Every structure is written in structure tokens, then in C-alpha cells.
Amino acid sequence: RLYENEPSAKLQKDISKFNNIQMARKIQLNSAYGAIGNQYFRYYNLSNAEAITLSGQVSIRWIENKMNEYLNRVLKTEDVDYVIASDTDSIYLHLGPLVKSVYQGREKTDESVVTFLNKVCEMELEKYIESSYEALANYVNAYANKMFMKRENIASSGIWTAKKRYILNVWDSEGVRYKEPKLKMMGIEAVKSSTPAPCRTAIRDALKIMMNGSEEDLITFIDSFKDDFNSLPPEDIAFPRSVNGLRKFKASGTVYTKGTPLHVRGTLLYNFHVAQKKLEYKYPLVQEGEKIKYLYLRRPNKINENVISFLNTFPRELDLEQSIDRDAQFKKSFLDPLQIITKVIGWETERVANLEFLFA
């Protein structure tokens, strides 16, 4: 059993190095498949491209059906779907009923459950998957079985908001055992670079509470973070974006044309007002393709607009700091992404007033 400790600097470099190598190989393979389906590729063959996708679908559906058959037989159930979700090359099994049946009347800890599930995967499930894929290879008359599956994560809980959008509370990842669970996230706002950095951190913390705490704990955390959020400087709560189309949407009389995207409109307004106040020496004008940040504004304000963008430093000379719509920023950058997840599990993000005390 390998517990994760703080890796040394050399080990951290090796982890990054080999992860980059495997990602490069994965992207190369994906690119090769895409090229085969491109009519302008030298080795274009639509039949081969379709064969790749269809083989993948058959393989994952095959093992999904086999695992359901196996677990229904072991747990003496009928037509229960133990496969929570499946992806291109993976399935997610609900083994809670198995744990419940084994630990019935016995004391259990997170450590003992993870150890038990690890043994089940190594000694039973992986062997069964291997034999199932051997059967598939024989069924389709393949020259050899090239399908292999290994256990990746053991998680105590998980939340799916949509296809390829999920969070897992992982205790063991490919044999690396954690003293405290770690979150594995796919397609969740917390890992998106378009979310302000403080909100990414806070969303991660909120998700940990959702996995290991209570609804009341979450609401208390949200209230506390909102106080912190309202004290942060404009630069920290603004949305980061790349800006394109400045020439396309610029207008001489009205600064911007109708239909200008929000962040582009904010950038054109920034350039206009900075130039008008002759502040270019302190705040460089934004050029095409640069990285900017933008903020929502409350009306009325000095420029009578609902957005302003900037480069790295918010221009205080425009006298807009008191007009920043912090409620809108908080909702769009933190609360909305979080509520996508809380709605799935039926949790609230604020205390709901009711009249129950009248009938107590």
C-alpha cells in the first residue's frame, strides 16, 4: 500500500514529464483517427474511421453488460444497473451494495473499505474483465485480444452533471492511497481558466464540503466566501478572456457596433475612455488578440455602460470601482457554476426562510 506524501522536486518533475509524454501519445492517436476520417488525408478511409468508433462502442457496451451480469449474479439481484456511467474507454461501477452486504453488522472505516475494494478489483473484477474481452475477441473473430482494463480510482462518492462532467471523491488512484480524499474533476467550472482564480479555489473547497460535509456546512462556507469576495480587488474577481474582433466591432460615433460581444464591448470602451482621459502612458491600449479581464457594472455610472474591460490593472481614474456589480460577478463566477452541481443532489446554496416555527 502506497500512501501519498509530498513528492520531492525531482519526483514532481518526473510526474509532470511522464504525464506530458502519455498525453502527447494520446493526442497523437486521437489525431490519427481524426485524420483517417478527413477526406483530404492521404490515407483517408471512411470505413476505417467508422470501424474505429464502432469497435470502441461495441467494446465498452460489451463490458458494461458483462459487469452488470456479474454483479447481479454475485449480489443475487435481477436487472439492477450497477454501471453508473461509461465513457470512451472506461466504466464507473456502483459497488455500494457489495460493501453493504460484506460489512453488514461489522465495523467499517474508509481505509478498510478501500482496501477491500482494491482486493476485489485485483482478484475478481480485473480477471473477469480480461476473460470477457477474450470472449469478445472470439465472438468477432479477432486475431488477438487487444482490450485491457485496469482499476483506476476508488471513490466514496461521485456527482455527474452531464456526459463527461463529473466529480469523484477519490481515496485511491491507480494504487496511490490518500490519507484524505482528493477530488477528481472533469468538465467542471473549477478547472476552467475562464473562471476567476479565487472562485476556482473556492469552488474546489465547496465541492470538498459537498463530498464530505453537510448542506448546512456548504451554506455557511458560501456566506463566508461572499464576504471575502466582496473585499477582493477588481483585478482578482474579473473574468479572464482573449479578445478578438476589435476592428470588426469598432464604431467611430458609438464606440462599438450593435451585437458586439460583451468582453469586446468592454475592451472598446476601455480603449476609448483611457484615450479620452489621456491615460495611455499608464494603461496601455488593448491590442487585437491580447488577454484581458472584464467586469460587470451597475448603472448609473460614469460611462453609462454595464461592462468594462482592462489589461492587468483596473483603471481607478475612470471612477468606476464603486460601480462594479459584485453581486453579478459573484453569481456568474461562483454561484452559477456551483448551483449546476447542487441542483443535481438537491442542495440549496442559501438558507430558505419558512413558516414552520409557527406550527411547532
Side-chain angles (χ1 to χ4, degrees), residues 289-349:
E290 286 194 297
K291 301 283 187 182
I292 57 95
K293 295 182 176 181
Y294 74 92
L295 291 160
Y296 286 93
L297 300 175
R298 287 182 285 101
R299 283 175 167 148
N301 55 61
K302 294 289 184 178
I303 64 173
N304 198 31
E305 293 283 352
N306 70 337
V307 66
I308 189 69
S309 302
F310 56 95
L311 280 167
N312 297 311
T313 306
F314 183 77
R316 268 76 180 175
E317 290 84 347
L318 298 186
D319 197 20
L320 293 171
E321 190 166 1
Q322 299 305 314
S323 298
I324 295 172
D325 193 341
R326 287 181 176 267
D327 287 340
Q329 290 293 132
F330 183 77
K331 183 177 184 300
K332 292 179 181 295
S333 62
F334 175 75
L335 212 51
D336 284 354
L338 195 63
Q339 285 177 339
I340 292 173
I341 303 161
T342 56
K343 285 178 181 176
V344 173
I345 61 173
W347 282 18
E348 298 291 340
T349 53

Side-chain angles (χ1 to χ4, degrees), residues 123-172:
M123 300 176 68
E124 301 295 335
L125 300 188
E126 288 181 4
K127 291 178 181 178
Y128 180 75
I129 288 171
E130 185 178 355
S131 65
S132 296
Y133 273 134
E134 288 288 350
L136 176 61
N138 292 329
Y139 179 70
V140 299
N141 198 28
Y143 68 92
N145 173 35
K146 295 296 183 180
M147 296 299 300
F148 304 97
M149 271 189 166
K150 291 289 184 183
R151 192 271 296 170
E152 185 176 357
N153 296 307
I154 297 175
S156 57
S157 53
I159 300 172
W160 273 259
T161 61
K163 186 178 180 180
K164 296 194 177 184
R165 292 177 179 268
Y166 62 83
I167 314 151
L168 295 177
N169 199 45
V170 177
W171 285 90
D172 187 300

Side-chain angles (χ1 to χ4, degrees), residues 56-246:
Q57 289 176 33
V58 167
S59 297
I60 206 67
R61 289 176 181 174
W62 177 273
I63 208 62
E64 179 180 342
N65 290 333
K66 288 293 183 181
M67 290 310 298
N68 272 326
E69 287 176 12
Y70 177 82
L71 289 171
N72 272 286
R73 187 167 65 250
V74 168
L75 294 169
K76 296 180 174 55
T77 53
E78 189 174 343
D79 296 329
V80 176
D81 190 358
Y82 292 99
V83 180
I84 296 172
S86 62
D87 208 336
T88 310
D89 58 356
S90 57
I91 58 172
Y92 302 85
L93 292 175
H94 174 37
L95 296 179
L98 177 63
V99 172
K100 187 176 180 180
S101 66
V102 169
Y103 280 87
Q104 195 167 21
R106 296 168 54 192
E107 184 180 349
K108 66 178 180 179
T109 63
D110 293 322
E111 169 68 16
S112 67
V113 171
V114 173
T115 300
F116 165 68
L117 290 177
N118 182 54
K119 285 184 178 178
V120 168
C121 291
E122 285 182 352
M123 300 176 68
E124 301 295 335
L125 300 188
E126 288 181 4
K127 291 178 181 178
Y128 180 75
I129 288 171
E130 185 178 355
S131 65
S132 296
Y133 273 134
E134 288 288 350
L136 176 61
N138 292 329
Y139 179 70
V140 299
N141 198 28
Y143 68 92
N145 173 35
K146 295 296 183 180
M147 296 299 300
F148 304 97
M149 271 189 166
K150 291 289 184 183
R151 192 271 296 170
E152 185 176 357
N153 296 307
I154 297 175
S156 57
S157 53
I159 300 172
W160 273 259
T161 61
K163 186 178 180 180
K164 296 194 177 184
R165 292 177 179 268
Y166 62 83
I167 314 151
L168 295 177
N169 199 45
V170 177
W171 285 90
D172 187 300
S173 179
E174 299 183 83
V176 177
R177 189 74 55 88
Y178 303 133
K179 290 182 179 178
E180 298 293 333
K182 287 197 172 186
L183 295 183
K184 178 184 178 181
M185 289 181 282
M186 175 70 72
I188 303 297
E189 293 289 334
V191 294
K192 289 190 176 179
S193 59
S194 56
T195 303
C199 293
R200 291 202 299 269
T201 301
I203 291 172
R204 285 180 182 273
D205 292 340
L207 294 177
K208 288 179 183 177
I209 293 171
M210 291 168 66
M211 289 293 187
N212 301 288
S214 66
E215 184 178 14
E216 180 62 29
D217 294 334
L218 178 66
I219 292 172
T220 300
F221 172 80
I222 292 171
D223 290 343
S224 175
F225 176 63
K226 187 169 186 180
D227 291 338
D228 295 339
F229 183 90
N230 287 332
S231 66
L232 292 172
E235 291 85 352
D236 288 351
I237 65 172
F239 294 102
R241 290 289 190 279
S242 293
V243 64
N244 292 290
L246 294 177

